[in-house]
Amino acid sequence: NAGVTQTPKFQVLKTGQSMTLQCAQDMNHEYMSWYRQDPGMGLRLIHYSVGAGITDQGEVPNGYNVSRSTTEDFPLRLLSAAPSQTSVYFCASRQGPHTEAFFGQGTRLTVV
Amino acid sequence: AQSVTQLDSHVSVSEGTPVLLRCNYSSSYSPSLFWYVQHPNKGLQLLLKYTSAATLVKGINGFEAEFKKSETSFHLTKPSAHMSDAAEYFCVVNRSGGSYIPTFGRGTSLIVHP
């Protein structure tokens, strides 16, 4: 059972570089989300999607883009990396509005 | 507006003693509530969930939580702590309205002393 798969697990970027964090799920879930985790802040929502072709902003969307061309994939793009984007990023999926979320193992990103 | 408040950032217990991690929520409708656990450098694992069935919810590893609507609380308990329970715990509410996006509390770090 793969569940939610995130790649890469670790990444170091230089300020100004761009990159894409990949997220794929094999549970046919409509709802997918990206969060960032910072010490003492819990998980904060960056972007979310309720189905292919539908995305919306969360609490901290600035500097990030998403797209949802298929049900399975929900990539997160950093347009021009900044040190403030140093964080651990989690992708999650869930079946419906009242169900639990399943999380990937996270991507630890450092921007220098 | 904050939808979930975890009342303690750190809780320290001795092995074998009870655990209480406190969570209060705000929601206009009957919420779906969850507790997740995160061990160091790991992802998040579901401990238990409340979705308007029984108010006392049993989860994995001996944890349980009671939904109290009058107090808007969903506290997590365990009768006897084990060293392996040391982790970060998150209370989550699926925010009412729209897409019911999961909103996280800031987390409680559980420290277990031998």
Side-chain angles (χ1 to χ4, degrees):
Chain A
N1 291 343
V4 180
T5 303
Q6 286 183 239
T7 55
K9 287 187 169 53
F10 302 93
Q11 183 71 49
V12 179
L13 289 178
K14 294 182 178 179
T15 298
Q17 287 185 316
S18 62
M19 79 160 295
T20 300
L21 308 185
Q22 300 292 343
C23 177
Q25 53 94 6
D26 61 359
M27 297 172 283
N28 203 32
H29 288 171
E30 292 294 330
Y31 292 67
M32 296 187 74
S33 309
W34 276 102
Y35 294 87
R36 59 177 289 172
Q37 182 178 26
D38 302 292
M41 301 295 289
L43 274 72
R44 293 181 293 168
L45 182 67
I46 304 171
H47 286 285
Y48 67 97
S49 170
V50 298
I54 305 169
T55 63
D56 207 345
Q57 296 182 351
E59 182 183 355
V60 288
N62 291 341
Y64 308 95
N65 272 356
V66 292
S67 60
R68 185 92 181 272
S69 56
T70 67
T71 299
E72 295 78 19
D73 299 300
F74 191 44
L76 178 72
R77 280 182 287 277
L78 279 71
L79 309 173
S80 177
S84 61
Q85 294 178 304
T86 294
S87 188
V88 181
Y89 291 83
F90 287 98
C91 179
S93 75
R94 57 196 172 112
Q95 186 174 32
H98 301 290
T99 60
E100 70 270 28
F102 294 81
F103 289 85
Q105 288 299 299
T107 297
R108 186 174 294 275
L109 176 68
T110 302
V111 182
V112 298
Chain B
Q2 179 71 8
S3 298
V4 183
T5 303
Q6 291 184 243
L7 297 165
D8 306 291
S9 59
H10 297 84
V11 169
S12 182
V13 301
S14 297
E15 191 174 21
T17 63
V19 175
L20 170 64
L21 305 183
R22 298 182 295 166
C23 174
N24 286 105
Y25 69 92
S26 59
S27 178
S28 302
Y29 304 95
S30 294
S32 298
L33 293 159
F34 310 85
W35 276 98
Y36 289 84
V37 61
Q38 184 182 31
H39 288 93
N41 299 314
K42 300 289 185 184
L44 285 86
Q45 180 184 18
L46 179 70
L47 272 180
L48 49 79
K49 62 182 178 181
Y50 168 78
T51 53
S52 74
T55 56
L56 182 62
V57 182
K58 294 188 183 299
I60 62 172
N61 301 334
F63 284 94
E64 60 182 39
E66 186 171 7
F67 173 69
K68 292 187 176 180
K69 186 175 181 179
S70 60
E71 299 176 10
T72 60
S73 69
F74 190 57
H75 300 335
L76 182 70
T77 60
K78 183 174 181 177
S80 177
H82 192 273
M83 295 297 291
S84 61
D85 294 327
E88 190 85 11
Y89 291 80
F90 293 98
C91 182
V92 179
V93 61
N94 282 11
R95 199 170 62 224
S96 58
S99 303
Y100 294 84
I101 301 300
T103 301
F104 282 74
R106 295 194 173 191
T108 299
S109 178
L110 178 63
I111 302 159
V112 183
H113 299 286

